[in-house]
Amino acid sequence: MLYTLLPAAFALAVSGAPAPIPGAPWGHAPPTGAGGLPSGGSGGFHGPPGAHGPLSSLSGRPSAPVATPSASALPFNVQLGPRPFYLVDNMTDSALKTKLQSCSNGPFEVTGFSIGHRGGGDLQIPEESVQSEHAGERMGAGILECDVSFTHDRGLVCRHSLCDLHTTTDILTRPALAAKCTVPFTPANATSPANALCCTSDITTAEYMTLCSKMDAFNASARTPQAYLGVAPTWRTELYDTCATPMTLDSYIDLVDAMVPQRNFTPELKTPPAQVPMPFNGYTQQQYAQDFVNAFVNKNISFDRVWPQSFLIDDIIFWLKNDHSFGKQAVYLIEADTPADVAAFTANLTTYKAMGINIIGPAIPDLIMIGGPNNNSVVPTPFAIAAKNAGLDMIAWTFERSGPLATVKARGEYYFSTVADIMHTDGQYYEVLDVLVQQIGIKGMFSDWSATITYYANCFGLKGPQNVYT
């Protein structure tokens, strides 16, 4: 294979699946699924009908030319862009910096240690979209994520929360669909902020697939639905926020399965919030969990390529009991935000292992704290040490959601909250990652910008989670 280092902006337009098509949005054409709905490929651009080509009847996205033959016969180029090199240059002098500098010329390969969070390109590209998946693919992520929610007609779709459509899509600008929202838009006034709550369960799968995915944002001062869409934080970008293409679970599976070199899957079964009580119109949590598994069975995807996730231990137990080959690689996600949570999870680590759980997925702040001889170093938490001693593998979340590290304390940022007092430069991203890998032994890292993790993983020969469980 050939591996090159091109700026990320060039990488984002290349899918690694269909060959680029001049004039096609994002450089390639979307394949279609049942009923002609987009199931992968390109997103369109905002604008009046006909501004960028004929519009599909459902989505408002421009139709694209028929895809040319697959580029799978061409060499695949992992493209990291400038960010990993900026982070290394920003480090203080150390043995770690010297080691990372020594890897600057690659070669760089696809690695399962680099896990595309919500696709892997969310630092610049709308999450849970075809375009974000392709960005993670191009940046060498060996495992790509789809957060799985259900629609009103029980279709399974990729969306980080059942009830985030009002901040991650343009649903509020579609009057017919906006009227179906659990909480329709109300404008801000002198005493109250703007408000809305739109859930995947409010609309059908076909309706969901007409939406544009956008950067996660909202404007609490908005007096119109259009203004409510908001603007992403300044350290993200709106450059690629041009009607990214949503996915069903089925189209995500097809998209990832077609990638060359082979990529694997990490779907997360999203926990329904209080606004969507279960059972939902008779649809039980167990049916939801089984439909999640069946999507991969129906596509003939081997379970050893799938790393399912859930925050609900009952989901993990269900899979271990009913679909053991699937469940043995399941990741039990952990978010311990209080001392009581930490104590409870710590006390149960050996129980989890005895139940057949092999992998836990803690948030970064559950794993690191400030310590060391001068109390100015990043060190493992007692929880991290206990989990390692219990024989549990760990996959951590999430890198590259934090912005400039110099301001994480002032912003009350979550992922670096336990070490915020000693964060000063962006080069410390790699110092934190090094503690997570070398001292804690994580098997993989979710990231909103896959190149950052791919660079480190290649430098240290990290392959990601393996199929070693029984």
Side-chain angles (χ1 to χ4, degrees):
M1 293 178 183
L2 299 178
Y3 300 93
T4 61
L5 299 174
L6 298 180
F10 294 117
L12 302 179
V14 184
S15 73
I21 300 173
W26 294 87
H28 53 88
T32 56
L37 293 176
S39 62
S42 154
F45 295 82
H46 291 301
H52 300 282
L55 298 178
S56 71
S57 60
L58 289 175
S59 71
R61 282 185 291 273
S63 300
V66 176
T68 55
S70 171
S72 60
L74 302 176
F76 180 85
N77 300 308
V78 170
Q79 298 176 6
L80 301 184
R83 184 157 176 78
F85 305 93
Y86 158 77
L87 295 177
V88 173
D89 289 345
N90 201 243
M91 296 174 70
T92 56
D93 290 342
S94 65
L96 175 61
K97 180 176 182 176
T98 300
K99 168 65 174 176
L100 291 171
Q101 286 174 325
S102 74
C103 301
S104 62
N105 289 326
F108 297 99
E109 300 180 351
V110 174
T111 167
F113 184 86
S114 181
I115 303 173
H117 184 242
R118 310 185 195 180
D122 319 331
L123 187 62
Q124 297 190 31
I125 298 170
E127 65 186 45
E128 308 285 354
S129 70
V130 169
Q131 287 74 25
S132 187
E133 299 287 341
H134 278 311
E137 172 198 16
R138 181 57 65 188
M139 291 187 280
I143 301 175
L144 296 164
E145 184 181 40
C146 161
D147 292 298
V148 180
S149 299
F150 61 81
T151 62
H152 191 76
D153 54 352
R154 301 183 184 181
L156 300 184
V157 297
C158 298
R159 190 55 39 185
H160 183 253
S161 168
L162 268 76
C163 294
D164 71 3
L165 296 185
H166 53 293
T167 66
T168 64
T169 75
D170 64 347
I171 189 170
L172 292 179
T173 66
R174 315 259 186 137
L177 298 183
K180 299 183 178 185
C181 288
T182 296
V183 179
F185 173 76
T186 54
N189 56 41
T191 59
S192 301
N195 190 35
L197 186 76
C198 304
C199 306
T200 57
S201 54
D202 293 333
I203 59 177
T204 67
T205 304
E207 290 169 334
Y208 173 83
M209 289 300 293
T210 69
L211 298 174
C212 292
S213 292
K214 73 176 189 68
M215 297 298 283
D216 190 1
F218 71 97
N219 176 8
S221 300
R223 296 183 180 273
T224 67
Q226 185 67 44
Y228 187 84
L229 299 183
V231 177
T234 56
W235 46 270
R236 290 182 180 266
T237 180
E238 297 287 333
L239 183 61
Y240 305 108
D241 198 0
T242 51
C243 192
T245 312
M247 300 178 292
T248 65
L249 177 57
D250 281 348
S251 69
Y252 153 81
I253 294 171
D254 290 341
L255 182 74
V256 175
D257 192 40
M259 292 177 180
V260 178
Q262 178 178 286
R263 312 305 166 93
N264 292 328
F265 309 85
T266 185
E268 180 189 337
L269 191 68
K270 298 306 297 187
T271 303
Q275 295 87 350
V276 188
M278 299 294 278
F280 174 78
N281 294 340
Y283 192 46
T284 68
Q285 184 69 28
Q286 291 73 26
Q287 287 175 298
Y288 181 29
Q290 189 62 58
D291 288 347
F292 177 88
V293 174
N294 291 346
F296 290 89
V297 173
N298 294 339
K299 296 284 187 179
N300 296 313
I301 301 297
S302 174
F303 284 160
D304 62 10
R305 296 180 59 196
V306 186
W307 308 89
Q309 316 163 60
S310 179
F311 279 98
L312 294 182
I313 196 166
D314 286 348
D315 291 338
I316 308 294
I317 293 170
F318 178 86
W319 293 327
L320 284 168
K321 179 180 178 180
N322 296 285
D323 302 280
H324 187 79
S325 294
F326 194 79
K328 69 182 181 179
Q329 294 193 166
V331 182
Y332 177 35
L333 297 169
I334 288 175
E335 186 173 14
D337 291 335
T338 68
D341 290 341
V342 173
F345 280 118
T346 303
N348 285 310
L349 289 170
T350 55
T351 302
Y352 301 149
K353 184 66 175 177
M355 293 167 62
I357 295 173
N358 293 304
I359 312 170
I360 59 172
I364 291 172
D366 298 331
L367 298 175
I368 55 172
M369 58 186 286
I370 297 172
N374 299 316
N375 204 38
N376 63 355
S377 301
V378 177
V379 299
T381 61
F383 171 82
I385 295 169
K388 185 177 182 179
N389 290 340
L392 290 162
D393 286 341
M394 286 173 273
I395 295 175
W397 51 278
T398 299
F399 239 53
E400 295 286 31
R401 287 192 71 78
S402 306
L405 294 188
T407 61
V408 290
K409 182 177 181 180
R411 290 184 282 115
E413 193 278 332
Y414 173 71
Y415 291 98
F416 285 78
S417 58
T418 55
V419 294
D421 284 338
I422 60 171
M423 293 293 107
H424 307 295
T425 68
D426 287 345
Q428 289 176 283
Y429 270 108
Y430 278 137
E431 295 173 9
V432 167
L433 183 59
D434 196 61
V435 171
L436 291 164
V437 172
Q438 307 301 338
Q439 297 185 41
I440 299 173
I442 64 169
K443 301 300 183 183
M445 173 61 81
F446 285 92
S447 180
D448 274 15
W449 197 247
S450 295
T452 300
I453 304 301
T454 299
Y455 185 100
Y456 180 96
N458 272 269
C459 197
F460 284 91
L462 304 176
K463 303 300 183 184
Q466 304 297 307
N467 311 118
V468 296
Y469 308 110
T470 57

